[in-house]
Amino acid sequence: QQSLTTKTTPPSTMPFFPQSALSALLLGSLYVANVDAFAGVKSSRAGFGTSLKMSTATYPTVAEEITWTPSIKSGDRDSILGPIEKYCADLNTVTRRKTRTVTCGPINFGSDHPIVRQTMATANTADVDATVEQVMRCADEGFDLVRVTVQGRREAKACLEIREKLFKKGYDIPLCADMHFQPKVAMLVAEAVEKIRINPGNFADGRKDFDEHVYETEDDYVKERGYLADAMIPLVQKCKELNRCMRIGTNHGSLSSRVLSFYGDTPRGMVESALEFADICRSQDFHNFVFSMKASNPLVMVQSYRLLAAEMYRLGWDYPLHLGVTEAGEGEDGRMKSAIGIGTLLADGIGDTVRVSLTEDPEFEYAPCNRLSEIASSRVAKNNPEEAARQAAVKPYVDTRDITSFSRRHGVLPGQEEGDTVDVRGFLNRDGSVITVVKPEMFEKENVQYLYQELGCKTAVGMPFKDIATTDSIFMRTLPPSTNTEARAAIRRLIEVNMGVIVPAAELEKDPLPNAVALFSLAEAADAKLPTGAMRMAIEIDGTEDDETIASIKDLAPAFAFLKPDASVSHLHASRRVFEIFKSNEIETAVIHHFVTDTDDSNELALQMGTQIGALLNDGNGDGVMCEQVGDENPFSVDFLRKTSFSLLQGSRMRSTKTEFVSCPSCGRTLFDLQTTTARIQEATGHLPGVTVAVMGCIVNGPGEMADADFGYVGTMPGKVDLYYGKEVVKKSIPNDDAVDALIDLIKEYDMWKEPEEEEVEEEEAVVAA
């Protein structure tokens, strides 16, 4: 990642239009005399299809004078611009989406520049010295930009001192003011910092209620744009005058009640909310802004960004995108969830700046932020000839994914057949499967009880049985010899509790294992016969096969398939091709992603899995994952890889095996020690699969995020917490010291609590019948 601090000549303020001259004429901010914007469009909607005659000397000052993006609900947008056609530059080759250069002090956002890495200070902005010290630490770590929270005039004035002190200390790293609810304060802080982030959900529409506002017609909805323009136009003019940058940062958890009532809690609502504010910027011929579409749910986040990118393509817009999964959490889970969302978009060349939001000190966000940027850069074909060759090596296919909605492909699970002596229905799970690689020595007498625990099994007098987060099946490249009767008996016990044991067919031919699943390559499978004792066939696809060979899977009818693209082809594109062939041939076989890694870094593993496999699960493609370590060293335990695999599935909104935490990353608004409090809550409630708990340091990211959670723990004033059930406040002003216990009581009140299970203590002398 090269330095971003080299100053360049600011680009022209004239917008760049990659589409036709017609779309530029219709949608550009070219306010010339007697231009009839959208003239001839038949529409009864106020502001659409009307002739707006504007002087070249002035810009609109009220909503009625602004040329708004045509309505999506009425169909005007489709009529004028045609349907959505694409969301990224190239579906077959990783190419960065072409975006304009947006300046922010000494750095630049846009496709002609490296991805900007940024974070957010957690210090109280009013504490000037503490904030300066933290910003310097972030800059020294490698960040290109730091955001600070600005709650009011006191913090805005502090930003002037912070900026001045940083300059005096030789730090020109740009600052971004995070604004909510305070248009007048935003005007003040624009004097001090290089960038302003405004939240369309509360910048002008600060109503923090969730009441449904009934709009009889679209005219009623449109009329309320007046106060948006009144609040926003002065700030846009100020930013234009001072050459400041702006981020129009929509947040899924803080959509205005106006947008929620009209579009619902949806990606479409997020996009339309942002477009309104962009229309106001463009009406003033101001183009030095970027967008963001953040959500704590990676699937919602990815769909929102893709939808916005697609809308910009058909509008002829080229504004950069700031990527982030908000309230991702901490540790490997936080990194995994961020990689699933951010990595998916970067894999398609979407994204110009990245922030990884962790419930940790901001300096710790740098490593995953930088690493995701490095992975993205290495995948861009023009940057990496080897990667370009892998992408080109993928056989042609037609990509039919619909990015305007999300649906998950559900493979058919193994079913019982006449003559089966074990129940195969537990070999996979309908919500997403985890398959674990196991080595023969793990079944030795001295190891087997530990192995059962590492697989997530419960045991009773040494006999294993499945629990909620138990591995569904195991994969063994080699088996203990049949002469090792104790090891074979230990394997048999797993099969008897519905755990599949998958073994390469060639290994089973040498030494059969009753009721095993025999694994064949797809090339071998056509003429293959099941080895003695094997009860089902599984196949492995490497993505280099021709269409006809892949289509033959329908007749082979395997129990399931592993998808492990060959190193000679792009993993993403080869996998998408396989799923397209399955779709066109109506193949319903379940597909398990076979992920291979040689890393010894747990954080790197989370980023790799989230980026590579998460991108495909975000497409709705895949029924589970198997993670295999390769190389001389195998640093990760079976238990760790199992839990990491389940984290991938849960982060992809598939299978829930533990409490889901939506935890904000802290900032200067936070009203309690977020890291310590989050750790206490996780310790007390982390054993509740299917339950989502949101931990928010303040009200800004409070009530809205409750929409994605069952229970909420939100700071409202120093030393006090409000508790939520869904969107509703149910307990107010609880002292911090009592709040965790009160949260537990609330979960019990709604019948979602269960007592933690005590750790099993095995009797050393337990006798297990063979």
Side-chain angles (χ1 to χ4, degrees), residues 243-256:
N243 194 30
R244 300 307 192 212
C245 176
M246 182 183 291
R247 169 157 69 98
I248 300 173
T250 306
N251 192 301
H252 179 233
S254 56
L255 288 173
S256 69

Side-chain angles (χ1 to χ4, degrees), residues 348-368:
D348 277 324
I350 296 172
D352 304 282
T353 178
V354 170
R355 193 268 171 113
V356 175
S357 301
L358 300 175
T359 310
E360 301 175 17
D361 290 336
E363 300 95 311
F364 293 107
E365 293 181 354
Y366 178 76

Side-chain angles (χ1 to χ4, degrees), residues 287-481:
H287 304 280
N288 202 46
F289 65 88
V290 304
F291 285 110
S292 67
M293 295 275 117
K294 292 192 177 184
S296 59
N297 181 333
L299 267 64
V300 172
M301 174 262 196
V302 168
Q303 189 183 341
S304 301
Y305 276 103
R306 284 175 170 173
L307 188 58
L308 176 62
E311 289 290 7
M312 283 202 277
Y313 270 116
R314 70 168 171 175
L315 288 167
W317 296 5
D318 62 342
Y319 300 105
L321 290 174
H322 165 127
L323 305 185
V325 175
T326 192
E327 288 97 31
E330 62 179 355
E332 285 85 12
D333 282 352
R335 287 158 177 79
M336 176 74 79
K337 193 183 293 186
S338 295
I340 292 168
I342 296 169
T344 295
L345 294 162
L346 291 174
D348 277 324
I350 296 172
D352 304 282
T353 178
V354 170
R355 193 268 171 113
V356 175
S357 301
L358 300 175
T359 310
E360 301 175 17
D361 290 336
E363 300 95 311
F364 293 107
E365 293 181 354
Y366 178 76
C369 180
N370 185 60
R371 182 64 183 131
L372 288 172
S373 300
E374 290 176 342
I375 293 171
S377 180
S378 70
R379 285 182 168 184
V380 175
K382 76 173 187 178
N383 296 344
N384 186 340
E386 293 181 359
E387 187 59 36
R390 284 191 285 270
Q391 292 164 23
V394 177
K395 291 179 172 59
Y397 68 102
V398 177
D399 193 323
T400 63
R401 289 173 300 131
D402 179 7
I403 57 90
T404 64
S405 63
F406 177 81
S407 62
R408 186 171 297 285
R409 175 190 181 274
H410 290 282
V412 174
L413 305 184
Q416 285 299 104
E417 297 178 3
E418 186 177 353
D420 288 344
T421 57
V422 298
D423 190 345
V424 304
R425 291 171 294 183
F427 289 6
L428 298 182
N429 187 285
R430 65 179 183 180
D431 296 322
S433 304
V434 168
I435 297 179
T436 299
V437 179
V438 175
K439 295 185 175 181
E441 58 267 26
M442 296 177 181
F443 282 100
E444 294 299 326
K445 182 177 180 179
E446 64 273 18
N447 298 329
V448 69
Q449 290 300 320
Y450 297 108
L451 174 61
Y452 289 161
Q453 292 177 17
E454 297 244 313
L455 291 173
C457 294
K458 296 295 183 182
T459 57
V461 291
M463 297 293 288
F465 59 93
K466 282 187 170 182
D467 197 26
I468 192 167
T470 304
T471 289
D472 297 292
S473 292
I474 62 172
F475 173 69
M476 302 187 69
R477 289 205 173 274
T478 58
L479 288 168

